[in-house]
Amino acid sequence: MEVSRLQRRYIDFISALFHEFTELQHLQDESNPDFVSEVASLFFEDSERLLNELSRTLDQQTVDFKKIDAHVHQLKGSSASIGAQRVKNVCLTFRSCCDENNLEGCLGCLQQVKQECYLVKNKLDALFRLEQQILATGGVVPIMSKD
Amino acid sequence: MEEAEGGGEGEGEGEGEGEVVELRVLVVDDSPVDRRMVEGLIKRSGKGMFQVIAVDSGKKAMEVLGLNNAKTDSTAADEQKIDVILTDYCMPEMSGFDLLKAVREQSSPKPIPVVIMSSENEPQRIDRCRAVGAADFFLKPLQSTDVQRLRDSVTSTPLALKTPLAPKNAPSKRKMPMDRMAEKSGTERRPRLAGVAVAWLPLRSCDTPAV
């Protein structure tokens, strides 16, 4: 009973998550059992590095907008890859601010993208905790259909 | 910088009746997330067709291919036989386009096919790659159908000789869940002319002037 309750909760949770996340799930199999958590970890490490770089670069006396754009481009790419669409959307706005050399806009976008990354992390952490609970009670983690 | 990541048991013959020859694909991408995603997709969708070697820069790719000019203490073992190169377009120092040019400049009778991948669907970029002889151009994030195209690129003619590819129409790819924030706040809408996306974005630092 506990297992099916956790599984139902997992399904509801993942249904509300970004669609591309289910694409990630489908790349996980017996030969790649930790693929999803591996990719998620890579994303969090990489995004933290990029956000730190962005903060540092925006803090300079003379702001190098090309450098900022390059970092945001990277963040946009990796967020799109894991399906974090909201992070990607903020990155699009961020790049527009870079094109306009708009420092205030960039600073606003930085705060926004930090917030969105934080939300993604929280969601995925909660999801992984649910997975662990399901496995601990002897259940199987549901795999969502792609459709 | 990361070392090259080998991804399979090695090229060789399959067990059983049929001979299964794995294609060695060199994945080049400075993003660790994208590298891992592409590797995972190729292995999952490729069904044993590919052995993946992944590096994080054009410079590392040149070393793997044995094309770097600098005399290093690399041995012959460092120069691995590669059947196809799948490289990101936009990378620091040496872009995917630079790598494509370097590979195509080799006077080998059968140059290694180079497939470019990019998150930006820019006709200028595609044309530039086509002009230099890219085997194909994939839009990120990659899909399982791209893996079959990757295999086809090993045997097919370069992109320059193909009919123009229809660009991927991003809005029709998949439906998005409801937790997506207002797309209009950040998503750029590009006008489309006869199915071709027109890029409004200025040339980025990874786009070199027209050759």
Side-chain angles (χ1 to χ4, degrees), chain A residues 26 38 74 81 95 99, chain B residues 30 34 36 44 120 204:
Chain A
H26 281 271
E38 211 180 304
Q74 278 198 294
S81 288
R95 293 191 85 184
D99 289 340
Chain B
D30 60 318
D34 286 358
R36 190 66 185 94
R44 187 86 165 98
E120 295 179 11
R204 300 292 177 189

Side-chain angles (χ1 to χ4, degrees), chain A residues 5-88:
Chain A
R5 184 187 69 82
L6 286 169
Q7 286 171 330
R8 266 198 307 279
R9 215 173 121 198
Y10 183 89
I11 290 167
D12 290 341
F13 195 89
I14 209 169
S15 298
L17 261 184
F18 22 94
H19 177 88
E20 272 80 356
F21 187 77
T22 58
E23 303 277 336
L24 265 187
Q25 248 201 339
H26 281 271
L27 293 182
Q28 182 162 293
D29 58 16
E30 302 79 33
S31 62
N32 266 313
D34 300 316
F35 183 76
V36 175
S37 61
E38 211 180 304
V39 172
S41 295
L42 283 171
F43 174 73
F44 296 139
E45 281 169 23
D46 199 45
S47 59
E48 190 178 337
R49 176 187 65 85
L50 289 168
L51 291 171
N52 287 339
E53 280 296 322
L54 283 167
S55 296
R56 213 176 354 256
T57 310
L58 281 166
D59 213 25
Q60 300 295 309
Q61 194 123 15
T62 309
V63 174
D64 185 346
F65 286 100
K66 275 193 161 46
K67 195 172 174 184
I68 294 171
D69 181 72
H71 290 322
V72 176
H73 169 78
Q74 278 198 294
L75 184 58
K76 179 178 84 84
S78 56
S79 60
S81 288
I82 69 157
Q85 190 68 17
R86 287 167 65 134
V87 175
K88 182 196 163 184

Side-chain angles (χ1 to χ4, degrees), chain A residues 92-139:
Chain A
L92 287 170
T93 309
F94 206 151
R95 293 191 85 184
S96 297
C97 293
C98 291
D99 289 340
E100 296 158 9
N101 289 1
N102 178 354
L103 179 59
E104 202 179 313
C106 284
L107 288 167
C109 285
L110 178 61
Q111 291 313 309
Q112 216 178 340
V113 82
K114 277 182 176 174
Q115 177 65 13
E116 293 298 341
C117 285
Y118 174 75
L119 289 173
V120 169
K121 188 171 193 311
N122 279 357
K123 280 181 183 175
L124 288 180
D125 281 346
L127 188 76
F128 294 143
R129 272 198 304 275
L130 254 179
E131 280 186 3
Q132 294 305 312
Q133 283 178 292
I134 290 171
L135 293 171
T137 50

Side-chain angles (χ1 to χ4, degrees), chain B residues 8-87:
Chain B
E9 290 79 31
E11 185 179 31
E13 294 159 14
E15 298 167 7
E17 295 179 321
E19 185 179 311
V20 176
V21 179
E22 281 185 330
L23 295 176
R24 295 167 67 93
V25 56
L26 177 62
V27 173
V28 191
D29 201 316
D30 60 318
S31 164
V33 175
D34 286 358
R35 264 199 320 278
R36 190 66 185 94
M37 285 290 298
V38 169
E39 186 182 1
L41 181 69
I42 289 174
K43 284 181 177 175
R44 187 86 165 98
S45 306
K47 295 181 174 57
M49 278 194 290
F50 296 98
Q51 179 189 353
V52 178
I53 299 106
V55 297
D56 62 1
S57 68
K59 188 178 165 190
K60 284 264 175 69
M62 296 284 278
E63 285 172 17
V64 169
L65 296 165
L67 298 179
N68 54 326
N69 292 327
K71 294 291 177 194
T72 65
D73 55 1
S74 63
T75 63
D78 294 341
E79 300 168 7
Q80 304 177 52
K81 182 192 171 297
I82 299 294
D83 296 301
V84 60
I85 300 165
L86 177 59
T87 178

